Amino acid sequence: MEHVYLVCYDISDQKRWRKIYKTMKGYGAWLQLSVFQCRLNKEDLLKMTDTLTEIMHCDEDNLIIIDIGVAETVSFKVASYGRPFQPIKHSAVVI
Amino acid sequence: MNHTAPLIPVRIVNEYVYCPRLAYMMWVQGEFAHSADTVEGKIRHKRVDKPGGRHPETAGEDTGEIHARSVALSSEHLGITAKIDLVEGQGRKVQPVDYKKGKRPHVAAGAYAPERVQVCAQGLLLREHGFEAGSGILYFAGSRERVRVEFDEALVAETTRAIEGLRTDSAKDKPPPPLMDSPKCARCSLIGICLPDEIGFLAQQREDIRPIYVRTENAFPLYVQSPASYVRKDGGQLVIEEKREKIAEVRLKDTSQVVLFGYCGMSTPALHECFRRQLPVTYMSYGGWFIGHGMGTGHHNVQTRTAQYRASFNEQTCLNLAAGLIQAKIQNCRTLLRRNWKASDDAGDKAPPQLLGALKSDMQQAGRAVSVQTLLGVEGSAARRYFEHFVFMISPQKNEETQGFDFSGRNRRPPRDPVNALLSFAYAMLVREWTVALSAVGLDPYRGFYHQMRFGRPALSLDMMEPFRPLVADSTVITAINNGEVSKKDFITTAFGCNLSPRGRKAFIAAFERRLSQEVTHPVFGYRLSYRRLFEVQARLLIRYLTGEVKEYPTFVTR
């Protein structure tokens, strides 16, 4: 079962920040500087958390993962100004 | 003791005590599927598995303190091998420590049987190497508790029995039957491969099926059909470029397979990553010809393929399977006509009863066919009947727009009109989908039971897709035309035939994928699942039929 997560991080080192950003691109949609929206099942959440905590330095950096709820059923209200907010939807991609 | 038999890893002995069938599927058939539990276990084990500490080769040379991580030991005599998470002790007196990710269970014995047997087997290995191991420790990381397990006579006997039982089972050519009604199944990562309730139901050992825990689909195919595009890898993503400009990004974790049309390119790192993740990559021509398909190292389960080949030499099995599939196809054609009949001048908006009756008798004849030859004849006449009336499922207005349907029926290689072009393309997509599904479960798509083997023809895919031609391919064609998703301007017609334009192809692929995502009720088991997942279930049931675990292959028909 998939949940929607909000992943935010503070990374004090540019090189590590880059690494975290790149890792996160594989797990979710970029929302804002250091903020990602993800739709993950438990396996992916574990893998993501494991990778991120290995890159970051726990004494200098900070990572917050907010569980918003079950992806299929959750309804959360989002106010977004300047740029539209789009929840992640899974479907076949045809290019 | 047979010394040529491969040593059994102790973790498989654990699985054997949990469920003999699970151990067989993992150890003999090489089946594995990750679940949240296995991923978590793997991560927890990363630190433990780094070798380190002091550990003397054999007991006696050292009397100091022992604290050794990740100790690999095997014994020909016991027939087992293990990598012990931690060995601790003093001199000859040691105890194995096994890390478990979860919390300590609150049971009288301190831990469940599989774990106790596993650590006991590790203890036996240590004893075999000259140590004194009277007890072991299970460390439950979830609650940070150590549970002592005494290697008493009863446990040692249970462990030896388990090793012996597993060895006997491994020598058989069929897995042990699934557990019945066991609460263990719900958390087992192989439930979708083992299909315990389905097999129990088909073997008439149970009356109903527990609502199967169907995993929601969270990965979907990526189709790249835009000409001159290039796919490369960037971190956890696939990036699609056109003329060196990024036009799309797709997360690999959300991708189930990659389909490339025509001459679009894909970088080697991207291919490697797909293969590593077991994502199939298929190549098709612009016109939709299925050219080839790659999928990493392929499936480990050789037993499945052996059963498939063996069955393919048995004429009666071939005929039974073929007759069932063709019967289902004719029935599904009939259902499609009945459901989608559009108003015609004389008959109103109901399919003429004599047509439905004729198809019904075709169906019965297919069931009675005495040879594959007669079956081919029945199939041919049913197909002719069906395609003669195919046009009545297309709304008259759209029919005019698409230049009408060739009333003589199907034409192909190349198709000469838009509807035939769509049908050909849809069948090519369906063959591809089935080839991917069959290879993914370990079957050989090129060895069929009904379709003749010819170079480059995935015969088993063609066999298995028969019942789904009307339900998935034809129905997508009808819907796409009737909804106006593809229209006359989406076709390029030349003297050599008719084909889809890139825009039309894109629209049609989207319609096809939508159809595959649609949920249907399984006629035999009664639960709902998408066509995509249904293909996998049918493919796995075919394996169970070929290996003799179920008596009959349940074909798919809609009501």
Side-chain angles (χ1 to χ4, degrees), chain B residues 241-502:
Chain B
E241 291 176 344
E242 215 169 85
K243 293 186 184 119
R244 297 201 167 258
E245 233 168 84
K246 189 190 286 189
I247 54 167
E249 292 174 322
V250 188
R251 279 181 292 278
L252 274 155
K253 83 163 188 71
D254 298 339
T255 308
S256 62
Q257 50 173 306
V258 180
V259 189
L260 304 168
F261 285 87
Y263 295 130
C264 58
M266 186 162 181
S267 73
T268 304
L271 261 177
H272 279 200
E273 189 60 30
C274 287
F275 288 166
R276 212 170 289 135
R277 291 175 185 244
Q278 299 294 336
L279 302 182
V281 178
T282 50
Y283 290 88
M284 294 180 91
S285 75
Y286 280 125
W289 269 100
F290 179 35
I291 292 174
H293 131 221
M295 51 166 305
T297 47
H299 206 280
H300 310 299
N301 195 343
V302 187
Q303 223 177 30
T304 300
R305 281 185 290 258
T306 312
Q308 179 188 354
Y309 297 142
R310 193 178 297 138
S312 72
F313 291 111
N314 183 328
E315 258 174 59
Q316 197 52 46
T317 310
C318 285
L319 182 63
N320 284 352
L321 265 176
L325 290 165
I326 296 306
Q327 212 177 358
K329 174 194 175 178
I330 301 174
Q331 185 173 347
N332 289 336
C333 283
R334 185 175 172 274
T335 310
L336 199 73
L337 279 173
R338 196 164 48 79
R339 278 200 198 153
N340 294 284
W341 196 270
K342 297 273 180 296
S344 62
D345 297 339
D346 46 345
D349 58 357
K350 279 226 171 70
Q354 63 270 35
L355 171 65
L356 296 181
L359 282 167
K360 191 162 208 165
S361 86
D362 286 339
M363 215 173 90
Q364 285 155 352
Q365 271 189 45
R368 285 196 301 265
V370 287
S371 74
V372 169
Q373 241 48 37
T374 34
L375 193 59
L376 274 168
V378 177
E379 187 202 0
S381 66
R384 222 165 11 253
R385 231 188 289 280
Y386 169 70
F387 279 115
E388 265 168 26
H389 298 90
F390 192 85
V391 69
F392 293 109
M393 293 191 282
I394 295 168
S395 85
Q397 180 209 343
K398 300 281 175 194
N399 193 15
E400 224 150 273
E401 285 174 21
T402 48
Q403 308 169 328
F405 187 55
D406 190 339
F407 273 77
S408 62
R410 281 280 287 146
N411 60 58
R412 59 210 179 109
R413 291 183 199 179
R416 291 192 296 271
D417 57 85
V419 181
N420 269 305
L422 282 178
L423 284 171
S424 290
F425 187 76
Y427 294 146
M429 295 271 287
L430 195 56
V431 177
R432 193 194 55 73
E433 197 65 37
W434 266 105
T435 304
V436 167
L438 292 169
S439 331
V441 300
L443 287 160
D444 180 350
Y446 291 93
R447 179 91 196 182
F449 300 98
Y450 177 52
H451 285 85
Q452 285 170 347
M453 276 165 285
R454 220 192 310 153
F455 180 71
R457 266 191 11 156
L460 186 62
S461 313
L462 292 167
D463 287 357
M464 293 296 285
M465 73 184 248
E466 287 295 359
F468 297 96
R469 278 177 190 263
L471 296 181
V472 175
D474 300 354
S475 115
T476 308
V477 172
I478 297 164
T479 315
I481 296 175
N482 288 349
N483 287 354
E485 285 169 88
V486 286
S487 59
K488 201 175 161 184
K489 63 180 191 302
D490 296 319
F491 295 90
I492 304 157
T493 312
T494 66
F496 303 109
C498 177
N499 210 340
L500 276 159
S501 70

Side-chain angles (χ1 to χ4, degrees), chain B residues 2 33 35 39 47 66 203 232 239 247 257 351 437 451 462 489 494 515 522 540:
Chain B
N2 181 3
S35 73
V39 169
R47 203 183 71 89
I66 297 170
R232 61 180 181 81
V239 176
I247 54 167
Q257 50 173 306
H451 285 85
L462 292 167
K489 63 180 191 302
T494 66
R515 181 65 182 166
H522 198 287
R540 293 205 186 281

Side-chain angles (χ1 to χ4, degrees), chain A residues 31-49:
Chain A
L31 279 185
Q32 273 187 2
L33 216 66
S34 304
V35 181
F36 273 82
Q37 178 201 179
C38 303
R39 200 178 148 156
L40 308 168
N41 59 20
K42 209 175 157 200
E43 289 163 60
D44 289 326
L45 175 70
L46 286 163
K47 278 190 218 159
M48 180 187 82
T49 317

Side-chain angles (χ1 to χ4, degrees), chain B residues 69-296:
Chain B
R69 284 212 187 102
S70 202
V71 182
L73 287 179
S74 2
S75 156
E76 292 275 338
H77 172 65
L78 293 167
I80 52 174
T81 174
K83 198 152 94 179
I84 307 174
D85 290 339
L86 180 67
V87 176
E88 55 178 31
Q90 197 91 36
R92 281 162 54 83
K93 279 196 164 48
V94 291
Q95 56 184 4
V97 181
D98 200 56
Y99 280 58
K100 295 289 163 210
K101 70 170 175 61
K103 289 184 181 137
R104 174 174 73 89
H106 289 270
V107 289
Y112 290 115
E115 284 72 38
R116 292 173 53 238
V117 165
Q118 185 182 4
V119 76
C120 177
Q122 296 178 350
L124 294 184
L125 273 172
L126 284 166
R127 283 184 190 175
E128 191 73 6
H129 284 257
F131 292 96
E132 278 170 30
S135 64
I137 299 285
L138 286 168
Y139 176 70
F140 289 93
S143 58
R144 300 185 173 199
E145 281 174 283
R146 288 167 80 104
V147 172
R148 172 179 291 276
V149 178
E150 291 296 336
F151 302 152
D152 52 22
E153 245 168 70
L155 184 59
V156 171
E158 192 182 352
T159 307
T160 334
R161 243 193 341 265
I163 297 170
E164 216 36 65
L166 177 53
R167 204 195 322 278
T168 319
D169 273 6
S170 305
K172 294 182 183 151
D173 59 358
K174 206 159 69 172
L179 301 176
M180 279 300 135
D181 253 331
S182 168
K184 291 174 179 175
C185 294
R187 287 202 69 159
C188 175
S189 64
L190 290 190
I191 183 167
I193 297 173
C194 163
L195 301 175
D197 284 16
E198 286 78 354
I199 287 171
F201 179 84
L202 291 174
Q204 283 159 357
Q205 282 171 346
R206 58 180 302 140
E207 311 248 288
D208 60 324
I209 294 184
R210 290 175 288 180
I212 194 182
Y213 171 64
V214 182
R215 288 202 200 181
T216 46
E217 288 174 313
N218 42 32
F220 289 88
L222 162 69
Y223 291 91
V224 185
Q225 59 94 44
S226 152
S229 42
Y230 186 74
V231 183
R232 61 180 181 81
K233 177 190 167 256
D234 183 21
Q237 294 186 109
L238 289 178
V239 176
I240 298 99
E241 291 176 344
E242 215 169 85
K243 293 186 184 119
R244 297 201 167 258
E245 233 168 84
K246 189 190 286 189
I247 54 167
E249 292 174 322
V250 188
R251 279 181 292 278
L252 274 155
K253 83 163 188 71
D254 298 339
T255 308
S256 62
Q257 50 173 306
V258 180
V259 189
L260 304 168
F261 285 87
Y263 295 130
C264 58
M266 186 162 181
S267 73
T268 304
L271 261 177
H272 279 200
E273 189 60 30
C274 287
F275 288 166
R276 212 170 289 135
R277 291 175 185 244
Q278 299 294 336
L279 302 182
V281 178
T282 50
Y283 290 88
M284 294 180 91
S285 75
Y286 280 125
W289 269 100
F290 179 35
I291 292 174
H293 131 221
M295 51 166 305

